[in-house]
Amino acid sequence: MFKQFINKLARKSWKSESADYGGSNSGNNAVTSGSRNAVSGRSNAVKRMSSAVFPASVVSGIEPLISFKDVPNQEKQNLFVSKLNLCSVVFDFDDPNKNSVEKDLKRQTLIELVDFVSSGSAKFTEPAIAAMCKMSAVNLFRMFQPNYQSTGGEAEVEEPMFDLAWPHLQLVYDLLLRFMTSTSLDAKIGKKYIDHSFILRLLDLFDSDDPRERDCLKTILHRIYGKFMVHRPFIRKAVSNIFYRFVFETERHNGIAELLDVFGSVISGFAVPLKEEHKMFLWTVLIPLHKPKSLGVYLQQLTYCVTQFLEKEPKLASTVIKGLLKYWPITNSQKEVMFLGSLEEILEGMNMVEFQKIMVPLFRRIGCCLSSSHFQRASRLRRSSAVAASAALMANSVPVAEQAHLLWNNDHIVNLIAHNRQVILPLIFPSLERNTRSHWNQAVLNLTLNVKKVFSEVDEELVLTCQDKFEEEETKLKAAAEKRRVTWERLEIAASVQPVTRNAAILVTPTTTYVTG
């Protein structure tokens, strides 16, 4: 039944290909006889297999299983199209024993196509480009089954799902990549078939659960972006829409790290001064990507993209830090550690003018982090990639307060703080002083003493002034607390001696309740 279906499909395909490309039977008669002589050494079994499963009528008179070296150069493009149509048959890999011989034949044909494209023997004709895009679409573009266990947040590690059809998919991706990078591909013709629809469906594949597939897609998308300049604005817009949907709607997508990896290279190629469109990408896409819970999965790529912008236009640093403060996590200590790490990278390349624009709100937030009591063994991130593992390791091993103190290990940041100590130290001194008195973590306590020592060496008089002001504030707070306590005592006494009247409030003395079980 399967063979009959393929035979019918092949006859229909040949009719449509003839109409599209204007192929004529008379022009291929000589090739027919030559092809038959070339394959005379093949076994009858293989001939029957190829005619039944992979019909030769895809390109009139050319046997798809003929080797490229067995046909003249002028017919290699026709044979290329024939083999591509042969590989457009998609097999079911759920049953490994089903069509095993046919699957192996397709695999061998794909390998032969990869070698032919790599050789770069001749310019690809328009029918060849069309057949290549059609074969890639048939094999690659597909719907993924929903993964209901994936929430896109911080959950236990889930093993990546590997596609059973990868033996064929890998070769198709390899073939497509070599085709895109080949000098034999004319971009002016190729853009007719590698169009907006093709690119959108290619981007949809980035949500694959298979990390091997996402890695191949990353390379191919980068090559398409480089080869087809006319598609660059559309690709940037389409990828931005994926990021918008991820940040503001679903918070679930498997390919954010890979897409950011591609855009890291794209951003490095932006001309200076930056266009307003590119700055908008930073403000409306990259900075909001700090919001989702699964930040650790793509933090490294995101930080690289942001720093690329800052290297090209350093005055954007204050805007980036304002964005980080906007999305700063309040109850998630793991993300706080990650934000502090990203903050250190940004501050390391920041100049004095931009630093002074944001130092007040920035060190108010750092002051809160310095006295943080969080030390939480973070739940493992969803993907077990190298990026997620490094982010999880950082979040698991360093308390928020310790990570904040480590900013003083950076000489450039210490220099920025020292030049603005009159503003910064009063903001963070209360946190430092409370740490020395009552912080439970010995490592944090030691780091706090070191930071206070640094300030004392730079400006001991300022430290003493802040100490006196802190003591004065503490005295005021204690006095206010004592006043509050006395006021409540007087209210309780007054309520206990005053007789209860109708509609009057009654002060009930709390009693201890014992629960037995």
Side-chain angles (χ1 to χ4, degrees):
M1 175 64 82
F2 176 75
K3 294 180 180 180
Q4 292 174 358
F5 171 74
I6 295 299
N7 277 320
K8 292 179 181 178
L9 180 64
R11 285 195 292 272
K12 291 180 181 178
S13 176
W14 159 234
K15 290 178 182 178
S16 61
E17 293 292 334
S18 299
D20 291 341
Y21 305 134
S24 61
N25 294 332
S26 60
N28 293 318
N29 289 336
V31 181
T32 305
S33 59
S35 299
R36 289 171 181 168
N37 292 333
V39 295
S40 58
R42 294 181 179 270
S43 65
N44 292 332
V46 173
K47 286 183 179 180
R48 286 194 298 271
M49 176 75 68
S50 78
S51 63
V53 180
F54 303 120
S57 59
V58 181
V59 174
S60 180
I62 294 186
E63 166 63 53
L65 295 183
I66 298 175
S67 174
F68 281 102
K69 64 183 179 181
D70 294 333
V71 298
N73 289 334
Q74 61 269 23
E75 293 301 331
K76 285 185 177 179
Q77 291 291 317
N78 284 337
L79 181 58
F80 180 66
V81 174
S82 180
K83 288 179 178 289
L84 287 172
N85 283 300
L86 176 152
C87 292
S88 295
V89 179
V90 180
F91 294 102
D92 181 11
F93 278 80
D94 290 335
D95 184 359
N97 298 320
K98 186 178 179 181
N99 305 118
S100 57
V101 178
E102 292 87 338
K103 291 175 184 176
D104 189 59
L105 282 174
K106 179 178 177 180
R107 185 184 63 82
Q108 293 174 10
T109 305
L110 285 169
I111 293 173
E112 191 176 0
L113 286 169
V114 170
D115 293 338
F116 174 73
V117 172
S118 301
S119 67
S121 56
K123 287 282 184 182
F124 294 117
T125 62
E126 185 166 350
I129 296 173
M132 179 67 207
C133 293
K134 175 186 174 184
M135 188 277 295
S136 301
V138 169
N139 281 275
L140 301 179
F141 299 158
R142 62 206 190 278
M143 296 294 293
F144 297 118
Q145 294 181 356
N147 188 352
Y148 297 106
Q149 295 180 346
S150 296
T151 61
E154 293 157 312
E156 62 275 3
V157 173
E158 294 176 8
E159 290 299 324
M161 296 177 63
F162 297 108
D163 200 311
L164 297 176
W166 184 246
H168 284 181
L169 291 175
Q170 182 182 22
L171 290 170
V172 175
Y173 277 121
D174 192 16
L175 176 59
L176 182 59
L177 175 61
R178 293 175 187 270
F179 181 77
M180 292 295 177
T181 56
S182 175
T183 56
S184 301
L185 174 60
D186 188 343
K188 293 181 180 179
I189 301 175
K191 69 181 181 181
K192 293 168 57 179
Y193 301 96
I194 303 170
D195 55 7
H196 290 179
S197 176
F198 186 93
I199 292 170
L200 283 176
R201 298 190 70 184
L202 193 74
L203 289 174
D204 288 340
L205 296 176
F206 273 89
D207 202 19
S208 170
D209 283 310
D210 195 329
R212 302 169 300 181
E213 183 169 15
R214 295 195 302 270
D215 195 55
C216 292
L217 287 163
K218 175 180 68 175
T219 308
I220 291 171
L221 180 63
H222 191 271
R223 295 298 181 268
I224 292 175
Y225 189 90
K227 197 174 191 75
F228 301 98
M229 295 184 65
V230 68
H231 291 327
R232 289 182 180 182
F234 177 79
I235 292 174
R236 291 197 297 268
K237 183 177 180 181
V239 174
S240 297
N241 289 335
I242 292 175
F243 289 147
Y244 291 144
R245 195 177 307 115
F246 169 71
V247 172
F248 300 110
E249 294 181 15
T250 65
E251 286 203 12
R252 188 220 172 275
H253 195 285
N254 292 314
I256 299 299
E258 287 78 12
L259 289 170
L260 286 171
D261 215 356
V262 173
F263 265 75
S265 300
V266 170
I267 294 166
S268 65
F270 285 166
V272 177
L274 293 171
K275 296 179 180 178
E276 196 65 24
E277 171 200 351
H278 299 154
K279 294 180 185 178
M280 288 299 295
F281 180 78
L282 171 65
W283 298 329
T284 63
V285 177
L286 294 184
I287 292 178
L289 276 170
H290 290 85
K291 176 185 175 183
K293 295 179 180 179
S294 56
L295 171 66
V297 175
Y298 54 85
L299 176 64
Q300 181 179 338
Q301 291 85 349
L302 178 59
T303 303
Y304 178 76
C305 289
V306 172
T307 52
Q308 286 293 303
F309 270 104
L310 300 183
E311 286 179 9
K312 292 184 176 294
E313 200 160 321
K315 66 180 182 180
L316 293 172
S318 57
T319 304
V320 171
I321 290 183
K322 287 178 183 177
L324 287 178
L325 294 176
K326 176 182 178 181
Y327 293 106
W328 197 277
I330 304 301
T331 60
N332 190 330
S333 58
Q334 300 174 47
K335 283 186 66 178
E336 275 197 280
V337 172
M338 296 177 199
F339 270 55
L340 287 167
S342 299
L343 190 63
E344 182 177 358
E345 289 198 40
I346 296 169
L347 290 174
E348 194 170 6
M350 203 173 197
N351 59 44
M352 189 67 68
V353 175
E354 294 301 315
F355 178 77
Q356 290 174 345
K357 290 180 182 179
I358 47 84
M359 61 183 180
V360 173
L362 173 61
F363 278 88
R364 281 201 185 109
R365 173 54 58 191
I366 290 177
C368 296
C369 294
L370 288 170
S371 58
S372 172
S373 59
H374 288 141
F375 186 76
Q376 171 183 329
R377 285 291 173 183
S379 58
R380 294 175 293 175
L381 296 176
R382 190 177 63 83
R383 267 194 9 207
S384 56
S385 64
V387 176
S390 63
L393 179 62
M394 178 176 65
N396 282 337
S397 58
V398 182
V400 173
E402 185 174 341
Q403 184 68 25
H405 282 84
L406 292 178
L407 292 173
W408 274 262
N409 288 349
N410 189 298
D411 293 337
H412 180 68
I413 297 176
V414 170
N415 183 54
L416 292 173
I417 294 173
H419 279 81
N420 299 277
R421 59 186 180 275
Q422 297 290 341
V423 176
I424 293 174
L425 184 57
L427 295 174
I428 64 173
F429 189 85
S431 297
L432 296 175
E433 188 63 23
R434 291 190 189 98
N435 282 354
T436 58
R437 296 184 181 186
S438 60
H439 202 284
W440 63 272
N441 189 291
Q442 186 62 41
V444 172
L445 177 60
N446 294 336
L447 288 170
T448 298
L449 294 175
N450 290 336
V451 171
K452 290 185 68 176
K453 182 180 178 182
V454 169
F455 279 110
S456 297
E457 291 173 352
V458 174
D459 194 337
E460 186 174 2
E461 183 179 350
L462 178 61
V463 173
L464 293 175
T465 302
C466 291
Q467 180 76 41
D468 293 340
K469 185 177 180 181
F470 177 78
E471 296 289 350
E472 183 181 342
E473 292 293 330
E474 285 290 296
T475 302
K476 289 181 180 179
L477 289 174
K478 289 180 180 178
E482 179 64 19
K483 183 178 180 181
R484 232 178 3 253
R485 186 186 67 79
V486 171
T487 300
W488 278 106
E489 282 186 356
R490 290 166 62 186
L491 285 173
E492 290 177 0
I493 293 172
S496 62
V497 299
Q498 183 176 352
V500 178
T501 59
R502 187 170 182 177
N503 297 327
I506 301 175
L507 180 64
V508 179
T509 303
T511 57
T512 304
T513 303
Y514 296 94
V515 178
T516 60

